[in-house]
């Protein structure tokens, strides 16, 4: 395969921009920190609690709509053993942010917590809260992006509506939920909805808001935007299921 020079140049430029923005943000953060009397942790983790509504909506949405969200949703829809009904990440994110906006965003922002572990530290002390911090730390470490399984040649294709409920090339990409697997579906849904409230990433977005009202509004906006951005990966998975592609057998 020949080297894609334009693609290589675009990738290099992209990573240089990321590096440059990171360096600029670091310098600006140090400069701003020297001008204002802000706690170092608030400056580093929460942007001095001065993140605007629109910027907060973008960062909150981007945190969830990442590699695992996009690739995982597409592959779940494509997988003949699963299908659309098992691709619960977009819908579960909506539940997570609605619950978070209703019950957590305002009280935690009003009390000016810095991390999600602050209320545990106040209640139980440093030792126990330190032990409890191991769980969210491990969740961040193992939350890595998924990789699509390699696909082979595409012999033919048909409209995705035709393959949604019939066996053109494989099981229908909509999938099915049987009674014996209902509890498994519920468990996955709760893990990816209520379980998301146990991520520091979620609370870091609300605690960095300029006000408790802004914190709640960004939750409700994300609850709408995240499933909207879930539509393209669903279509990608449906198209893959409609083209007769087959998963490559492991070597």
């Amino acid at each position: 395969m020949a080297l894609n020079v334009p693609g290589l140049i675009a990738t290099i430029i992209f990573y240089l921009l990321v590096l440059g923005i990171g360096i600029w943000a670091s310098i600006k953060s140090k400069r701003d920190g020297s001008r204002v009397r802000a706690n170092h942790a608030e400056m580093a983790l929460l942007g001095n609690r001065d993140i605007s509504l629109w910027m907060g909506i973008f960062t909150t949405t981007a945190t969830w709509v990442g590699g695992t969200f996009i690739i995982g949703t597409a592959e779940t829809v494509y997988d003949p053993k699963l299908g659309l009904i098992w691709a619960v990440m977009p819908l579960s994110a909506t539940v997570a942010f609605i619950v978070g906006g209703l019950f957590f965003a305002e009280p935690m922002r009003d009390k000016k917590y810095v991390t999600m572990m602050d209320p545990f530290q106040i209640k139980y002390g440093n030792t126990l809260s330190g032990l409890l911090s191991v769980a969210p730390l491990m969740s961040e470490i193992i939350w890595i992006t998924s990789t699509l399984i390699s696909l082979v040649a595409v012999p033919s294709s048909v409209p995705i509506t035709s393959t949604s409920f019939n066996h053109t090339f494989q099981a229908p990409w909509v999938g099915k939920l049987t009674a014996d697997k209902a509890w498994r579906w519920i468990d996955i849904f709760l893990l990816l909805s209520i379980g998301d409230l146990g991520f520091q990433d979620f609370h870091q977005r609300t605690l960095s808001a300029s006000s408790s009202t802004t914190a709640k509004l960004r939750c409700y906006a994300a609850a709408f935007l995240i499933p909207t951005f879930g539509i393209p990966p669903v279509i990608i998975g449906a198209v893959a299921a409609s083209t007769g592609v087959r998963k490559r057998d492991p070597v």
Side-chain angles (χ1 to χ4, degrees):
M1 181 181 294
L3 177 64
N4 188 331
V5 177
L8 177 62
I9 293 175
T11 302
I12 293 175
I13 293 175
F14 171 76
Y15 281 107
L16 287 176
L17 285 173
V18 173
L19 177 62
I21 292 174
I23 295 174
W24 171 80
S26 176
I27 296 174
K28 185 176 185 299
S29 176
K30 292 180 180 179
R31 185 171 62 246
D32 292 343
S34 63
R35 288 204 303 256
V36 299
R37 293 182 178 180
N39 182 279
H40 178 71
E42 291 190 4
M43 282 294 300
L45 297 177
L46 307 178
N48 198 26
R49 302 188 193 274
D50 195 30
I51 306 299
S52 65
L53 174 61
W54 293 109
M55 180 60 69
I57 291 175
F58 291 142
T59 57
T60 301
T61 304
T63 299
W64 258 252
V65 183
T68 301
F69 180 94
I70 297 172
I71 297 177
T73 300
E75 187 173 0
T76 301
V77 174
Y78 165 74
D79 193 329
K81 296 181 180 179
L82 298 173
L84 176 63
I85 196 170
W86 288 91
V88 300
M89 287 189 70
L91 182 59
S92 64
T94 297
V95 175
F97 278 96
I98 290 176
V99 174
L102 289 174
F103 300 106
F104 292 96
E106 183 174 5
M108 294 190 70
R109 176 60 182 82
D110 286 344
K111 293 180 180 179
K112 296 184 178 180
Y113 293 142
V114 177
T115 72
M116 61 173 285
M117 298 306 300
D118 286 6
F120 294 94
Q121 183 179 16
I122 295 172
K123 179 71 174 179
Y124 301 109
N126 295 336
T127 303
L128 184 57
S129 61
L131 294 174
L132 292 174
S133 299
V134 175
L137 174 63
M138 292 301 298
S139 68
E140 294 292 341
I141 293 176
I142 65 176
W143 187 258
I144 58 175
T145 56
S146 305
T147 304
L148 280 173
I149 298 176
S150 299
L151 303 175
V152 293
V154 180
S156 60
S157 63
V158 296
I160 60 175
T161 55
S162 299
T163 59
S164 57
F165 291 100
N166 60 46
H167 292 73
T168 306
F169 299 112
Q170 60 180 31
W173 59 263
V174 170
K176 62 180 180 179
L177 180 61
T178 57
D180 60 317
K181 294 184 178 180
W183 285 109
R184 181 185 176 190
W185 188 96
I186 294 173
D187 181 65
I188 295 173
F189 184 84
L190 291 176
L191 174 66
L192 295 176
S193 57
I194 304 303
D196 275 356
L197 299 176
F199 279 113
Q200 169 62 21
D201 291 346
F202 173 86
H203 298 285
Q204 190 171 358
R205 298 301 175 271
T206 58
L207 295 174
S208 65
S210 56
S211 67
S212 59
T213 301
T214 301
K216 291 192 296 183
L217 287 176
R218 70 170 60 175
C219 286
Y220 301 144
F224 170 77
L225 289 175
I226 292 176
T228 302
F229 283 110
I231 296 176
V234 167
I235 295 176
I236 292 173
V239 170
S242 304
T243 53
V245 293
R246 292 291 181 269
K247 291 183 177 180
R248 182 176 300 168
D249 294 332
V251 178

